[in-house]
Amino acid sequence: RVPCRERSFFFGSFHDRTIVSQYIVCPKIRKKFTMKLINAAIALLTIPAVAAFAPVAPSFGVRTIGAPSTFDFALDAKKSIEDLTEAELKGKKVLIRCDVNVPLDGKTITDDTRIRSSVPTIEYLKSKGAIVTVCSHLGRPKDGPEDKFSLGPCAERLGELLGQEVKLCPDSIGDEVKAMVDAAKEGDVLMLENTRFYKEEEKNDPAHVEKLAAPFDLFVNDAFGTAHRAHASTEGVTKFLQPSVSGYLLAKELEYLDGAIQNGEKPMAAIVGGSKVSSKITVLNALLDKCDKIIIGGGMVFTFLKAKGLSVGTSLVEDDYV
């Protein structure tokens, strides 16, 4: 809490928080966002020109590609679902990546904020006659399907918020999923089972990605908190589904980020927190030319301290980055 005359922007999760302020933080925070600041978003918003998140020509369907790189898709904050015509959405099978990784007490959701945040984009797609299928991860399953990480409670809660049934698919890939998507009608909403029940999800395995994308015509990313990860359901599907665009939530977060970084008043400071330098180096490099000061916090500070020759004891250090 410091005296201030301007506003601040919070981007982060419980473990990872980044603040981009107008140099001095307001005494009362106007906006608090619970989504993680993605490295790719900052990097893209700090360069003058980028390719669109969606392909330039909005042709639909799955296409064959080579093995995807680690993280080479581009994201244009201005290419969103509202840029698609009703004809491009009506009757189309839309895969939407949401972040419904909510806290659970057994099978009871203790905070449904993330599910609520997904509703506007889903409602818009429904209103345009799309067939909507939600995909997401939940928790960190290690050895395949685990009942405690099932998206069943999320599908049920989303159905309550939408006022309609949201059928939970028994899997995220396969013939049964395809059959359910094919049988769905305009305005229907489905939810795939936890994408991380497959290790191939986080490995962004091309064969797995193709199976995930197969039933669908286009892709919408509305999961700001996971969009920095080059996983099958975030980056991989953009190689197979055209167009791939942002939803309302993702576009809104990028607008706030763009406003803070591109149009923020000077002097400007950024506070970047997190446990690992390796996942923040892109952010830090991108901010160097935009900010007058960068303040490092969180566990990654020990890597910087060791690089300065200071003792850090047994604290977390990424020696490769010293």
Side-chain angles (χ1 to χ4, degrees):
R1 297 181 180 180
V2 292
C4 157
R5 45 198 182 94
E6 293 299 334
R7 64 180 183 270
S8 68
F9 297 91
F10 275 71
F11 301 89
S13 66
F14 297 110
H15 307 293
D16 212 20
R17 191 177 299 276
T18 300
I19 308 167
V20 179
S21 67
Q22 306 289 14
Y23 190 57
I24 305 177
V25 183
C26 294
K28 207 165 187 177
I29 301 303
R30 298 181 186 176
K31 291 284 182 181
K32 182 176 181 180
F33 303 100
T34 55
M35 296 297 170
K36 182 177 290 185
L37 172 63
I38 57 176
N39 304 345
I42 284 191
L44 283 162
L45 289 171
T46 54
I47 55 179
V50 297
F53 177 54
V56 175
S59 58
F60 293 94
V62 176
R63 58 192 175 97
T64 303
I65 60 163
S69 65
T70 302
F71 194 79
D72 62 359
F73 79 100
L75 179 63
D76 182 356
K78 301 186 185 303
K79 189 70 174 179
S80 73
I81 53 175
E82 289 191 325
D83 293 310
L84 303 179
T85 65
E86 186 167 343
E88 290 176 303
L89 290 172
K90 185 174 177 60
K92 299 300 180 181
K93 301 166 185 174
V94 180
L95 177 65
I96 174 172
R97 180 53 160 97
C98 297
D99 182 6
V100 299
N101 184 26
V102 294
L104 293 169
D105 180 6
K107 291 290 185 179
T108 302
I109 297 172
T110 57
D111 183 351
D112 66 355
T113 301
R114 291 182 176 182
I115 299 176
R116 288 179 177 274
S117 298
S118 301
V119 169
T121 298
I122 295 172
E123 288 279 21
Y124 179 84
L125 293 170
K126 284 177 48 190
S127 72
K128 298 301 180 181
I131 299 165
V132 183
T133 301
V134 176
C135 70
S136 178
H137 76 284
L138 177 64
R140 297 180 179 274
K142 296 180 179 179
D143 300 308
E146 296 181 57
D147 183 61
K148 66 179 180 179
F149 293 126
S150 172
L151 289 182
C154 301
E156 182 178 351
R157 181 58 183 144
L158 179 60
E160 293 172 352
L161 294 170
L162 294 174
Q164 68 182 79
E165 181 184 14
V166 175
K167 293 182 179 179
L168 178 68
C169 298
D171 207 332
S172 58
I173 60 173
D175 293 338
E176 194 169 355
V177 171
K178 185 179 185 305
M180 291 182 68
V181 174
D182 289 344
K185 301 176 181 178
E186 293 181 8
D188 283 352
V189 180
L190 309 175
M191 183 177 288
L192 301 182
E193 188 51 282
N194 195 330
T195 56
R196 290 191 185 173
F197 281 171
Y198 288 91
K199 292 181 179 179
E200 291 86 351
E201 156 71 5
E202 295 183 80
K203 294 178 180 178
N204 203 4
D205 178 74
H208 180 77
V209 172
E210 188 166 10
K211 293 176 185 177
L212 179 62
F216 305 104
D217 299 312
L218 64 108
F219 175 66
V220 175
N221 192 343
D222 210 28
F224 186 76
T226 60
H228 64 296
R229 297 190 176 105
H231 291 176
S233 64
T234 56
E235 191 266 355
V237 291
T238 67
K239 304 291 186 63
F240 287 84
L241 297 175
Q242 302 177 12
S244 294
V245 300
S246 64
Y248 285 128
L249 179 61
L250 181 58
K252 180 186 74 173
E253 298 283 10
L254 292 176
E255 281 180 22
Y256 280 117
L257 183 59
D258 186 43
I261 294 178
Q262 299 285 24
N263 304 312
E265 294 185 9
K266 296 289 186 175
M268 179 184 290
I271 302 175
V272 183
S275 61
K276 296 181 178 180
V277 176
S278 57
S279 62
K280 301 297 179 296
I281 196 68
T282 305
V283 174
L284 296 172
N285 282 331
L287 290 175
L288 284 174
D289 295 330
K290 295 292 181 179
C291 299
D292 300 278
K293 292 185 178 181
I294 298 177
I295 301 171
I296 305 300
M300 68 176 176
V301 72
F302 297 108
T303 301
F304 284 89
L305 293 176
K306 185 172 181 178
K308 291 172 65 68
L310 300 174
S311 175
V312 296
T314 59
S315 299
L316 175 66
V317 172
E318 290 184 283
D319 288 317
D320 292 343
Y321 287 83
V322 173

